[in-house]
Amino acid sequence: QVQLQQWGAGLLKPLETLSLTCGVYGGLFSDYYWTWIRQSPEKGLEWIGDITHGGSTSYNPSLRSRLMISVHTSRTQFSLRLSAMTAADTAVYYCARATGGVVLPASFGPWGQGTLVTVSS
Amino acid sequence: QSVLAQPPSMSGAPGQRVTISCTGSSSNIGSGYDVHWYQQLPGTAPKLLIYGNVNRPSGVPDRFAGSKSGTSASLAITGLQADDEADYYCQSYDNSLRGSVFGGGTKLTVL
């Protein structure tokens, strides 16, 4: 049974960079791709982007200029970096496994436990 | 304003059937993209409930059923139980936004 566990700083000042990592335990890493999603009361659930085990990425166009997702295959981990954070980026950030079918989009599951990220001066 | 429209709240008595709608447009559901559904219990991460419009992951009871037609999709829950009280979200792909999109969520209350 695959489990995802995520970690990273939860309190940032404006313009700082968010850095989160997600570890994948108990499952095949290379057979799937891996995604980040965030949830806030204002915007609801928002897809951030995803990455294959080989490092190919797909980003939400609205975040692309500030976003980097990377993969560490040997450690079965993947990471998120989102720069120039503002209060509008305050949300619970989740990592999840993405399973693609014949038709887009991939479905997401299981999910990590979530990290509350607050941006405040 | 979410790309996929869901009713903000619904309710039903134990044993009843409820149907949650997810209304999209020609740039998402209407273009033939799959719809997935998630259940989020209070204080927890979302959990995949239905994938590929109609399929249930292992462990999801057959009281949950998904369907899709045209620019909309639906999640039907039959034999409503107290622990079905949760938020439910639909997800699809939008070719204008070039990424996955979610509905705003429906809070289901079991009376």
Side-chain angles (χ1 to χ4, degrees):
Chain A
Q1 180 94 359
V2 63
Q3 291 188 344
L4 281 69
Q5 186 159 359
Q6 57 186 98
W7 61 89
L11 181 60
L12 297 172
K13 290 183 168 46
L15 299 182
E16 287 186 334
T17 295
L18 171 66
S19 181
L20 297 174
T21 298
C22 184
V24 179
Y25 306 98
L28 288 174
F29 191 73
S30 58
D31 284 4
Y32 299 91
Y33 53 110
W34 307 93
T35 196
W36 290 97
I37 295 157
R38 66 183 183 181
Q39 184 176 29
S40 65
E42 295 77 22
K43 296 182 183 179
L45 287 166
E46 182 179 22
W47 171 73
I48 296 172
D50 49 52
I51 189 165
T52 67
H53 74 280
S56 297
T57 54
S58 179
Y59 292 161
N60 186 321
S62 70
L63 299 170
R64 184 190 311 276
S65 64
R66 302 191 287 130
L67 179 62
M68 185 172 73
I69 298 176
S70 55
V71 67
H72 320 286
T73 307
S74 61
R75 287 173 278 162
T76 63
Q77 295 173 0
F78 60 106
S79 297
L80 164 76
R81 285 177 63 86
L82 186 63
S83 62
M85 294 282 284
T86 71
D89 295 310
T90 293
V92 177
Y93 286 72
Y94 293 99
C95 61
R97 186 180 72 181
T99 303
V102 174
V103 177
L104 286 173
S107 58
F108 304 135
W111 297 49
Q113 80 275 21
T115 300
L116 175 59
V117 175
T118 302
V119 183
S120 174
S121 55
Chain B
Q1 203 78 328
S2 299
V3 173
L4 304 177
Q6 297 181 237
S9 62
M10 296 190 71
S11 63
Q16 283 190 332
R17 170 190 168 108
V18 295
T19 302
I20 299 172
S21 62
C22 174
T23 303
S25 67
S26 59
S27 64
N28 42 69
I29 299 174
S31 286
Y33 297 112
D34 274 350
V35 176
H36 315 303
W37 290 90
Y38 300 86
Q39 178 193 59
Q40 186 173 31
L41 297 170
T44 69
K47 168 193 159 188
L48 181 64
L49 196 65
I50 298 286
Y51 68 95
N53 308 312
V54 298
N55 302 295
R56 287 185 305 276
S58 173
V60 173
D62 59 6
R63 299 187 299 105
F64 295 90
S67 63
K68 187 184 106 169
S69 179
T71 58
S72 296
S74 295
L75 172 70
I77 309 172
T78 56
L80 209 55
Q81 299 178 359
D83 58 7
D84 295 335
E85 193 160 283
D87 294 326
Y88 293 84
Y89 296 90
C90 59
Q91 175 216 349
S92 189
Y93 183 90
D94 192 282
N95 56 31
S96 295
L97 298 173
R98 289 177 288 143
S100 274
V101 291
F102 291 91
T106 298
K107 184 175 184 61
L108 176 63
T109 300
V110 180
L111 301 170

